[in-house]
Amino acid sequence: MIEQINGHWSVGEMHYPFGNGINLSMRVPDVKRKYDELKSKGIKMFRELEVHVYRCDDVEYSDSEFLLQDPDGYLLRFNN
């Protein structure tokens, strides 16, 4: 659950950026399409679209991702 500050769940003093140290990861079916859509709207990226390749034993995996930062400082990670 993500909730706005409401005085009921505060666990410590809040300082901007509130989201320091947190990133929320969202898997999307077509990460390149989502990236292009947001860029076309002038959204500033925290980290541009990148492809990372991982190897586990003999299997190679790739993951495309980009990050943006919301107005409260939370990092939003979109990947495939």
Side-chain angles (χ1 to χ4, degrees):
M1 175 171 65
I2 299 173
E3 189 168 66
Q4 291 183 350
I5 297 172
N6 62 16
H8 297 289
W9 307 107
S10 299
V11 295
E13 192 172 342
M14 300 294 280
H15 296 286
Y16 182 85
F18 299 133
N20 190 20
I22 295 174
N23 77 69
L24 305 170
S25 183
M26 292 160 273
R27 185 170 287 184
V28 294
D30 189 339
V31 71
K32 172 78 166 91
R33 184 171 164 199
K34 179 58 73 179
Y35 173 81
D36 290 341
E37 174 189 343
L38 294 170
K39 286 287 278 192
S40 74
K41 294 179 179 181
I43 304 293
K44 182 181 176 200
M45 297 296 146
F46 181 84
R47 184 162 295 153
E48 299 294 330
L49 183 65
E50 299 175 340
V51 177
H52 301 275
V53 178
Y54 306 93
R55 179 173 289 284
C56 183
D57 296 325
D58 292 334
V59 181
E60 192 172 85
Y61 301 93
S62 67
D63 184 45
S64 299
E65 67 179 16
F66 67 91
L67 287 86
L68 56 94
Q69 190 172 33
D70 82 355
D72 288 326
Y74 290 91
L75 290 179
L76 307 177
R77 176 190 309 264
F78 297 83
N79 66 338
N80 61 349

Coordinates of all heavy atoms in Angstrom, one line a residue:
M1 N 0.8 -1.2 0.0 CA 0.0 0.0 0.0 C 0.9 1.2 0.0 O 1.9 1.3 0.7 CB -0.9 0.0 1.2 CG -1.7 1.2 1.4 SD -3.0 1.1 2.7 CE -1.9 1.0 4.2
I2 N 0.5 2.2 -0.8 CA 1.2 3.5 -0.8 C 0.2 4.5 -0.4 O -0.9 4.5 -0.9 CB 1.8 3.8 -2.2 CG1 2.8 2.7 -2.7 CG2 2.4 5.2 -2.3 CD1 3.2 2.9 -4.1
E3 N 0.6 5.3 0.6 CA -0.4 6.2 1.1 C 0.2 7.6 1.4 O 1.4 7.7 1.7 CB -0.9 5.7 2.5 CG -2.1 6.4 3.1 CD -2.6 5.5 4.2 OE1 -1.9 5.4 5.2 OE2 -3.7 5.1 4.1
Q4 N -0.6 8.7 1.2 CA -0.1 10.0 1.5 C 0.1 10.2 3.0 O -0.5 9.5 3.8 CB -1.0 11.1 1.0 CG -1.1 11.1 -0.5 CD -2.0 12.2 -1.0 OE1 -2.7 12.8 -0.2 NE2 -2.0 12.5 -2.3
I5 N 0.9 11.1 3.4 CA 1.1 11.5 4.8 C -0.3 11.8 5.4 O -1.0 12.7 4.8 CB 2.1 12.6 5.0 CG1 3.4 12.2 4.5 CG2 2.1 13.0 6.5 CD1 4.5 13.3 4.5
N6 N -0.7 11.2 6.4 CA -2.0 11.5 7.0 C -2.0 11.5 8.5 O -3.1 11.6 9.2 CB -3.1 10.4 6.5 CG -2.7 9.0 7.0 OD1 -1.9 8.8 7.9 ND2 -3.3 8.0 6.4
G7 N -0.9 11.4 9.2 CA -0.8 11.5 10.6 C -1.0 10.2 11.3 O -0.9 10.1 12.6
H8 N -1.4 9.1 10.6 CA -1.7 7.8 11.3 C -0.5 6.9 11.3 O -0.4 6.0 12.1 CB -2.9 7.2 10.6 CG -4.2 8.0 10.8 ND1 -4.8 8.2 12.0 CD2 -4.9 8.7 9.9 CE1 -5.9 8.9 11.8 NE2 -5.9 9.3 10.5
W9 N 0.3 6.9 10.3 CA 1.4 5.9 10.1 C 2.8 6.5 10.2 O 3.7 5.8 9.8 CB 1.2 5.2 8.8 CG -0.2 4.7 8.6 CD1 -1.2 5.2 7.7 CD2 -0.8 3.6 9.2 NE1 -2.3 4.5 7.8 CE2 -2.1 3.5 8.8 CE3 -0.4 2.7 10.2 CZ2 -3.0 2.5 9.2 CZ3 -1.2 1.7 10.6 CH2 -2.5 1.6 10.1
S10 N 3.0 7.7 10.7 CA 4.3 8.3 10.7 C 5.2 7.5 11.7 O 4.8 7.3 12.8 CB 4.2 9.8 11.1 OG 3.4 10.5 10.2
V11 N 6.4 7.2 11.2 CA 7.3 6.4 12.0 C 8.6 7.2 12.3 O 9.4 6.8 13.0 CB 7.7 5.1 11.4 CG1 6.5 4.2 11.3 CG2 8.3 5.3 10.0
G12 N 8.7 8.4 11.7 CA 9.9 9.2 11.9 C 9.7 10.6 11.3 O 8.8 10.8 10.5
E13 N 10.6 11.5 11.6 CA 10.5 12.8 11.0 C 10.7 12.7 9.5 O 11.6 12.1 9.0 CB 11.5 13.7 11.7 CG 11.3 15.2 11.3 CD 12.2 16.1 12.2 OE1 12.7 15.6 13.2 OE2 12.4 17.2 11.7
M14 N 9.9 13.4 8.7 CA 10.0 13.4 7.3 C 10.8 14.6 6.8 O 10.5 15.7 7.2 CB 8.6 13.4 6.7 CG 7.7 12.2 7.1 SD 8.3 10.6 6.5 CE 7.7 10.7 4.9
H15 N 11.7 14.3 5.9 CA 12.5 15.3 5.3 C 12.6 15.0 3.8 O 12.7 13.8 3.4 CB 14.0 15.3 5.8 CG 14.1 15.7 7.2 ND1 13.9 17.0 7.7 CD2 14.3 15.0 8.3 CE1 14.0 17.1 9.0 NE2 14.3 15.8 9.4
Y16 N 12.4 16.0 2.9 CA 12.6 15.8 1.5 C 14.0 15.4 1.2 O 14.9 15.9 1.8 CB 12.2 17.0 0.7 CG 12.3 16.8 -0.8 CD1 11.2 16.3 -1.4 CD2 13.4 17.1 -1.5 CE1 11.3 16.1 -2.8 CE2 13.5 16.9 -2.8 CZ 12.4 16.4 -3.5 OH 12.5 16.1 -4.8
P17 N 14.3 14.4 0.3 CA 13.2 13.7 -0.4 C 12.7 12.6 0.4 O 13.5 11.8 1.0 CB 14.0 13.2 -1.7 CG 15.4 13.0 -1.2 CD 15.6 14.1 -0.2
F18 N 11.4 12.5 0.5 CA 10.8 11.4 1.4 C 11.2 10.0 1.0 O 11.3 9.2 1.8 CB 9.3 11.5 1.3 CG 8.7 12.9 1.8 CD1 7.8 13.5 1.1 CD2 9.2 13.4 3.0 CE1 7.3 14.8 1.5 CE2 8.7 14.6 3.4 CZ 7.7 15.3 2.7
G19 N 11.4 9.8 -0.3 CA 11.6 8.5 -0.8 C 13.1 8.1 -0.8 O 13.5 7.1 -1.5
N20 N 13.9 8.8 -0.1 CA 15.4 8.5 -0.1 C 15.6 7.1 0.3 O 15.2 6.6 1.3 CB 16.1 9.5 0.8 CG 17.6 9.4 0.7 OD1 18.1 8.9 -0.3 ND2 18.2 9.8 1.8
G21 N 16.3 6.3 -0.6 CA 16.6 4.9 -0.3 C 15.5 3.9 -0.7 O 15.7 2.7 -0.5
I22 N 14.5 4.4 -1.3 CA 13.4 3.5 -1.7 C 13.2 3.6 -3.2 O 13.2 4.7 -3.8 CB 12.1 3.9 -1.1 CG1 12.2 3.6 0.4 CG2 10.9 3.1 -1.7 CD1 10.9 4.1 1.2
N23 N 13.1 2.4 -3.9 CA 12.6 2.5 -5.3 C 11.5 1.4 -5.5 O 11.6 0.4 -4.8 CB 13.8 2.3 -6.3 CG 14.3 0.9 -6.4 OD1 13.6 0.1 -7.0 ND2 15.5 0.7 -6.0
L24 N 10.5 1.8 -6.2 CA 9.4 0.9 -6.5 C 9.6 0.4 -7.9 O 9.7 1.1 -8.8 CB 8.1 1.7 -6.4 CG 7.9 2.4 -5.0 CD1 6.7 3.3 -5.0 CD2 7.8 1.3 -3.9
S25 N 9.6 -1.0 -8.0 CA 9.8 -1.6 -9.3 C 8.5 -2.1 -9.9 O 7.7 -2.7 -9.2 CB 10.8 -2.8 -9.2 OG 11.1 -3.3 -10.4
M26 N 8.3 -1.7 -11.2 CA 7.0 -2.1 -11.9 C 7.4 -2.8 -13.2 O 8.1 -2.2 -14.0 CB 6.2 -0.9 -12.1 CG 5.6 -0.3 -10.9 SD 5.1 1.4 -11.1 CE 6.6 2.2 -10.8
R27 N 6.9 -4.0 -13.4 CA 7.2 -4.7 -14.6 C 6.1 -4.3 -15.6 O 4.9 -4.3 -15.3 CB 7.1 -6.2 -14.3 CG 7.5 -7.0 -15.6 CD 7.6 -8.5 -15.2 NE 8.9 -8.6 -14.5 CZ 9.4 -9.7 -14.1 NH1 8.8 -10.8 -14.3 NH2 10.5 -9.7 -13.4
V28 N 6.5 -3.9 -16.8 CA 5.6 -3.6 -17.9 C 5.9 -4.4 -19.1 O 7.0 -4.9 -19.3 CB 5.8 -2.1 -18.2 CG1 5.3 -1.2 -17.1 CG2 7.2 -1.7 -18.6
P29 N 4.8 -4.7 -19.9 CA 5.0 -5.6 -21.0 C 6.0 -5.1 -22.0 O 6.7 -5.9 -22.6 CB 3.6 -5.8 -21.6 CG 2.7 -5.1 -20.6 CD 3.5 -4.3 -19.7
D30 N 6.0 -3.8 -22.3 CA 6.9 -3.3 -23.3 C 7.6 -2.0 -22.7 O 7.1 -0.9 -22.9 CB 6.0 -2.9 -24.6 CG 6.9 -2.5 -25.8 OD1 8.1 -2.2 -25.6 OD2 6.4 -2.6 -26.9
V31 N 8.7 -2.3 -22.1 CA 9.4 -1.2 -21.4 C 9.9 -0.1 -22.3 O 9.8 1.1 -22.0 CB 10.5 -1.8 -20.5 CG1 11.7 -2.3 -21.3 CG2 11.0 -0.8 -19.5
K32 N 10.3 -0.4 -23.5 CA 10.7 0.6 -24.5 C 9.6 1.5 -24.9 O 9.7 2.7 -25.0 CB 11.3 -0.1 -25.7 CG 11.7 0.8 -26.9 CD 13.0 1.5 -26.7 CE 13.5 2.2 -28.0 NZ 13.0 3.5 -28.2
R33 N 8.4 0.9 -25.1 CA 7.3 1.7 -25.5 C 6.9 2.6 -24.4 O 6.6 3.8 -24.6 CB 6.1 0.7 -25.8 CG 4.9 1.4 -26.3 CD 3.9 0.4 -26.8 NE 2.6 0.9 -26.9 CZ 1.5 0.2 -27.0 NH1 1.6 -1.1 -26.9 NH2 0.3 0.8 -27.1
K34 N 6.9 2.2 -23.1 CA 6.6 3.0 -22.0 C 7.6 4.1 -21.8 O 7.3 5.3 -21.6 CB 6.5 2.2 -20.7 CG 6.2 2.9 -19.4 CD 4.9 3.7 -19.5 CE 3.7 2.8 -19.4 NZ 2.5 3.6 -19.4
Y35 N 8.9 3.8 -22.0 CA 9.9 4.8 -22.0 C 9.7 5.9 -23.0 O 9.7 7.1 -22.7 CB 11.3 4.1 -22.2 CG 12.5 5.0 -22.3 CD1 13.1 5.6 -21.2 CD2 13.0 5.3 -23.6 CE1 14.2 6.4 -21.3 CE2 14.0 6.2 -23.7 CZ 14.6 6.7 -22.6 OH 15.7 7.5 -22.7
D36 N 9.4 5.5 -24.3 CA 9.2 6.4 -25.3 C 8.0 7.3 -25.1 O 8.0 8.5 -25.3 CB 9.0 5.7 -26.7 CG 10.3 5.1 -27.2 OD1 11.4 5.5 -26.7 OD2 10.2 4.2 -28.0
E37 N 6.9 6.7 -24.5 CA 5.7 7.4 -24.2 C 6.0 8.5 -23.1 O 5.6 9.7 -23.3 CB 4.7 6.5 -23.6 CG 3.4 7.1 -23.1 CD 2.5 6.1 -22.4 OE1 2.7 4.9 -22.6 OE2 1.6 6.6 -21.7
L38 N 6.7 8.2 -22.1 CA 7.0 9.2 -21.0 C 8.0 10.2 -21.5 O 7.8 11.4 -21.2 CB 7.6 8.4 -19.8 CG 6.6 7.5 -19.1 CD1 7.3 6.7 -18.0 CD2 5.4 8.3 -18.5
K39 N 9.0 9.8 -22.3 CA 9.9 10.8 -22.8 C 9.2 11.8 -23.7 O 9.5 13.0 -23.7 CB 11.0 10.1 -23.6 CG 12.1 9.4 -22.8 CD 13.0 10.3 -22.1 CE 14.1 10.8 -23.0 NZ 15.2 11.5 -22.3
S40 N 8.2 11.3 -24.5 CA 7.5 12.2 -25.5 C 6.7 13.2 -24.7 O 6.3 14.3 -25.3 CB 6.6 11.4 -26.4 OG 5.5 10.9 -25.7
K41 N 6.4 13.0 -23.4 CA 5.6 13.9 -22.6 C 6.5 14.8 -21.8 O 6.0 15.6 -21.0 CB 4.7 13.1 -21.7 CG 3.6 12.3 -22.4 CD 2.7 11.6 -21.5 CE 1.7 10.8 -22.3 NZ 0.8 10.1 -21.5
G42 N 7.8 14.7 -22.0 CA 8.7 15.6 -21.4 C 9.1 15.2 -20.0 O 9.7 16.0 -19.2
I43 N 8.8 13.9 -19.6 CA 9.2 13.4 -18.3 C 10.7 13.3 -18.2 O 11.3 12.6 -19.1 CB 8.5 12.1 -18.0 CG1 7.0 12.2 -18.1 CG2 8.9 11.5 -16.6 CD1 6.3 13.0 -17.1
K44 N 11.3 13.9 -17.2 CA 12.8 13.8 -17.0 C 13.1 12.4 -16.4 O 12.5 12.0 -15.3 CB 13.2 14.9 -16.1 CG 14.7 14.9 -15.9 CD 15.2 16.0 -15.0 CE 16.6 15.9 -14.7 NZ 17.1 16.6 -13.5
M45 N 14.0 11.7 -16.9 CA 14.5 10.4 -16.4 C 15.5 10.6 -15.4 O 16.4 11.4 -15.5 CB 15.0 9.5 -17.6 CG 14.0 9.2 -18.6 SD 12.6 8.2 -17.9 CE 11.3 8.9 -18.9
F46 N 15.5 9.8 -14.3 CA 16.5 9.7 -13.3 C 17.7 8.8 -13.9 O 18.8 9.1 -13.7 CB 16.0 9.1 -12.1 CG 17.0 9.0 -11.0 CD1 17.2 10.1 -10.1 CD2 17.7 7.8 -10.7 CE1 18.2 10.0 -9.1 CE2 18.6 7.7 -9.7 CZ 18.9 8.8 -8.9
R47 N 17.3 7.8 -14.6 CA 18.2 6.9 -15.3 C 17.6 6.5 -16.6 O 16.5 6.0 -16.7 CB 18.6 5.7 -14.5 CG 19.6 4.8 -15.1 CD 20.3 3.9 -14.2 NE 21.1 4.6 -13.2 CZ 21.3 4.1 -12.0 NH1 20.9 3.0 -11.6 NH2 22.0 4.9 -11.1
E48 N 18.3 6.8 -17.7 CA 17.8 6.5 -19.1 C 17.7 5.0 -19.3 O 18.2 4.2 -18.5 CB 18.7 7.0 -20.1 CG 18.9 8.5 -20.1 CD 17.6 9.3 -20.4 OE1 16.8 8.8 -21.2 OE2 17.5 10.4 -19.9
L49 N 16.9 4.6 -20.3 CA 16.7 3.2 -20.6 C 18.1 2.4 -20.8 O 18.9 2.9 -21.6 CB 15.9 3.0 -21.9 CG 15.5 1.6 -22.3 CD1 14.6 1.0 -21.3 CD2 14.8 1.7 -23.7
E50 N 18.2 1.4 -20.1 CA 19.5 0.6 -20.2 C 19.1 -0.9 -20.3 O 18.1 -1.3 -19.8 CB 20.3 0.7 -18.9 CG 20.8 2.1 -18.6 CD 21.5 2.3 -17.3 OE1 21.3 1.4 -16.4 OE2 22.2 3.3 -17.2
V51 N 20.0 -1.7 -20.9 CA 19.8 -3.1 -20.9 C 21.0 -3.7 -20.1 O 22.1 -3.4 -20.3 CB 19.9 -3.7 -22.4 CG1 19.8 -5.2 -22.4 CG2 18.7 -3.1 -23.2
H52 N 20.6 -4.6 -19.1 CA 21.6 -5.3 -18.3 C 21.5 -6.8 -18.6 O 20.4 -7.3 -18.8 CB 21.3 -5.1 -16.8 CG 21.3 -3.6 -16.4 ND1 22.4 -3.0 -16.1 CD2 20.3 -2.7 -16.4 CE1 22.1 -1.7 -15.8 NE2 20.8 -1.5 -16.0
V53 N 22.7 -7.4 -18.8 CA 22.8 -8.8 -19.1 C 23.3 -9.5 -17.9 O 24.4 -9.1 -17.3 CB 23.6 -9.1 -20.4 CG1 23.7 -10.5 -20.6 CG2 23.0 -8.3 -21.5
Y54 N 22.7 -10.6 -17.5 CA 23.1 -11.4 -16.3 C 23.3 -12.9 -16.8 O 22.6 -13.3 -17.7 CB 22.0 -11.4 -15.2 CG 21.6 -10.0 -14.8 CD1 20.5 -9.4 -15.4 CD2 22.4 -9.4 -13.8 CE1 20.2 -8.1 -15.0 CE2 22.0 -8.1 -13.4 CZ 20.9 -7.5 -14.0 OH 20.5 -6.2 -13.6
R55 N 24.2 -13.6 -16.2 CA 24.5 -15.0 -16.5 C 24.3 -15.8 -15.2 O 24.8 -15.4 -14.2 CB 25.8 -15.2 -17.0 CG 26.2 -16.6 -17.4 CD 27.5 -16.8 -18.1 NE 27.5 -16.3 -19.4 CZ 26.9 -16.9 -20.5 NH1 26.3 -18.0 -20.3 NH2 26.9 -16.4 -21.7
C56 N 23.5 -16.8 -15.3 CA 23.4 -17.8 -14.2 C 23.7 -19.2 -14.8 O 22.9 -19.7 -15.6 CB 21.9 -17.7 -13.7 SG 21.7 -18.8 -12.3
D57 N 24.8 -19.7 -14.4 CA 25.3 -21.0 -15.0 C 25.5 -20.8 -16.5 O 26.2 -19.9 -16.9 CB 24.4 -22.2 -14.7 CG 24.4 -22.5 -13.2 OD1 25.5 -22.3 -12.5 OD2 23.3 -22.8 -12.7
D58 N 24.8 -21.6 -17.3 CA 24.9 -21.4 -18.8 C 23.8 -20.6 -19.4 O 23.7 -20.5 -20.6 CB 24.9 -22.8 -19.4 CG 26.1 -23.6 -19.1 OD1 27.2 -23.0 -18.8 OD2 26.1 -24.8 -19.1
V59 N 22.9 -20.0 -18.6 CA 21.8 -19.2 -19.1 C 22.1 -17.7 -19.0 O 22.5 -17.3 -17.9 CB 20.5 -19.6 -18.4 CG1 19.3 -18.8 -18.9 CG2 20.2 -21.1 -18.4
E60 N 21.8 -17.0 -20.1 CA 22.0 -15.6 -20.1 C 20.6 -14.9 -20.1 O 19.8 -15.3 -20.8 CB 22.8 -15.2 -21.3 CG 23.3 -13.8 -21.3 CD 24.2 -13.5 -22.4 OE1 23.7 -13.1 -23.5 OE2 25.4 -13.6 -22.2
Y61 N 20.5 -13.9 -19.2 CA 19.2 -13.2 -19.0 C 19.5 -11.7 -19.3 O 20.6 -11.2 -19.0 CB 18.7 -13.3 -17.6 CG 18.4 -14.7 -17.2 CD1 19.3 -15.4 -16.5 CD2 17.2 -15.3 -17.4 CE1 19.1 -16.7 -16.0 CE2 16.9 -16.6 -17.0 CZ 17.9 -17.3 -16.3 OH 17.6 -18.6 -15.9
S62 N 18.5 -11.1 -19.9 CA 18.6 -9.6 -20.1 C 17.4 -8.9 -19.5 O 16.3 -9.5 -19.5 CB 18.8 -9.3 -21.6 OG 17.6 -9.5 -22.3
D63 N 17.6 -7.7 -19.0 CA 16.6 -6.9 -18.4 C 16.8 -5.5 -18.8 O 17.8 -4.9 -18.7 CB 16.7 -7.0 -16.9 CG 15.6 -6.3 -16.2 OD1 14.4 -6.4 -16.6 OD2 15.9 -5.5 -15.2
S64 N 15.7 -4.9 -19.4 CA 15.7 -3.5 -19.8 C 15.0 -2.7 -18.7 O 13.9 -3.2 -18.2 CB 15.0 -3.3 -21.1 OG 15.6 -4.0 -22.2
E65 N 15.5 -1.6 -18.4 CA 14.9 -0.8 -17.3 C 15.2 0.7 -17.5 O 16.2 1.1 -18.1 CB 15.3 -1.3 -15.9 CG 16.8 -1.0 -15.6 CD 17.2 -1.5 -14.3 OE1 16.5 -2.2 -13.6 OE2 18.3 -1.0 -13.8
F66 N 14.4 1.5 -16.9 CA 14.6 3.0 -16.7 C 14.0 3.4 -15.4 O 13.2 2.7 -14.9 CB 14.1 3.8 -17.9 CG 12.6 3.8 -18.1 CD1 11.9 4.8 -17.4 CD2 12.0 2.9 -18.8 CE1 10.5 4.9 -17.6 CE2 10.6 2.9 -18.9 CZ 9.8 3.9 -18.3
L67 N 14.5 4.5 -14.9 CA 14.0 5.0 -13.6 C 13.6 6.5 -13.8 O 14.3 7.2 -14.5 CB 15.1 4.9 -12.5 CG 15.3 3.5 -12.0 CD1 16.3 2.8 -12.8 CD2 15.8 3.6 -10.6
L68 N 12.6 6.9 -13.1 CA 12.3 8.3 -12.9 C 12.0 8.5 -11.5 O 11.8 7.6 -10.7 CB 11.1 8.7 -13.8 CG 9.8 8.0 -13.7 CD1 8.9 8.7 -12.7 CD2 9.1 7.9 -15.0
Q69 N 12.0 9.8 -11.1 CA 11.8 10.2 -9.7 C 10.6 11.0 -9.6 O 10.4 12.0 -10.3 CB 13.0 11.0 -9.2 CG 13.1 11.2 -7.7 CD 14.4 11.8 -7.3 OE1 15.0 12.6 -8.0 NE2 14.8 11.5 -6.1
D70 N 9.7 10.6 -8.6 CA 8.4 11.4 -8.5 C 8.7 12.6 -7.7 O 9.8 12.8 -7.1 CB 7.3 10.4 -7.9 CG 7.4 10.3 -6.4 OD1 8.3 10.8 -5.7 OD2 6.5 9.6 -5.9
P71 N 7.7 13.5 -7.5 CA 7.9 14.8 -6.8 C 8.4 14.6 -5.4 O 9.0 15.6 -4.8 CB 6.6 15.5 -6.9 CG 6.0 14.9 -8.2 CD 6.4 13.5 -8.2
D72 N 8.1 13.5 -4.7 CA 8.5 13.3 -3.3 C 9.8 12.6 -3.2 O 10.3 12.3 -2.1 CB 7.4 12.5 -2.6 CG 6.2 13.3 -2.3 OD1 6.3 14.5 -2.1 OD2 5.1 12.7 -2.4
G73 N 10.5 12.3 -4.3 CA 11.8 11.7 -4.3 C 11.8 10.2 -4.4 O 12.9 9.6 -4.4
Y74 N 10.7 9.6 -4.6 CA 10.7 8.1 -4.7 C 11.1 7.8 -6.1 O 10.7 8.4 -7.1 CB 9.3 7.6 -4.5 CG 8.8 7.6 -3.1 CD1 8.1 8.8 -2.6 CD2 9.1 6.6 -2.2 CE1 7.7 8.8 -1.3 CE2 8.7 6.7 -0.9 CZ 8.0 7.8 -0.4 OH 7.7 7.9 0.9
L75 N 12.0 6.8 -6.2 CA 12.4 6.3 -7.5 C 11.4 5.2 -8.0 O 11.1 4.3 -7.3 CB 13.8 5.6 -7.4 CG 15.0 6.6 -7.2 CD1 16.3 5.8 -7.1 CD2 15.0 7.7 -8.3
L76 N 11.0 5.4 -9.3 CA 10.1 4.5 -9.9 C 10.9 3.8 -11.0 O 11.3 4.4 -12.0 CB 8.9 5.2 -10.5 CG 8.1 6.1 -9.5 CD1 7.0 6.9 -10.2 CD2 7.6 5.4 -8.3
R77 N 11.0 2.5 -10.9 CA 11.8 1.6 -11.8 C 10.8 0.9 -12.7 O 9.9 0.2 -12.2 CB 12.7 0.7 -11.1 CG 13.4 -0.3 -11.9 CD 14.1 -1.4 -11.1 NE 14.9 -0.8 -10.0 CZ 16.2 -0.6 -10.0 NH1 16.9 -0.9 -11.1 NH2 16.8 -0.1 -8.9
F78 N 10.9 1.0 -14.0 CA 10.1 0.3 -14.9 C 11.0 -0.7 -15.7 O 12.1 -0.3 -16.2 CB 9.5 1.2 -16.0 CG 8.5 2.2 -15.4 CD1 8.9 3.4 -14.8 CD2 7.1 1.9 -15.3 CE1 8.0 4.3 -14.2 CE2 6.2 2.8 -14.8 CZ 6.7 3.9 -14.2
N79 N 10.7 -2.0 -15.7 CA 11.5 -3.0 -16.3 C 10.6 -4.1 -17.0 O 9.4 -4.1 -16.8 CB 12.5 -3.6 -15.3 CG 11.8 -4.4 -14.3 OD1 10.7 -4.2 -14.0 ND2 12.6 -5.3 -13.7
N80 N 11.3 -4.9 -17.8 CA 10.6 -5.9 -18.5 C 10.7 -7.3 -17.8 O 11.4 -7.5 -16.9 CB 11.0 -6.1 -20.0 CG 12.5 -6.5 -20.1 OD1 13.2 -6.5 -19.1 ND2 12.9 -6.8 -21.3

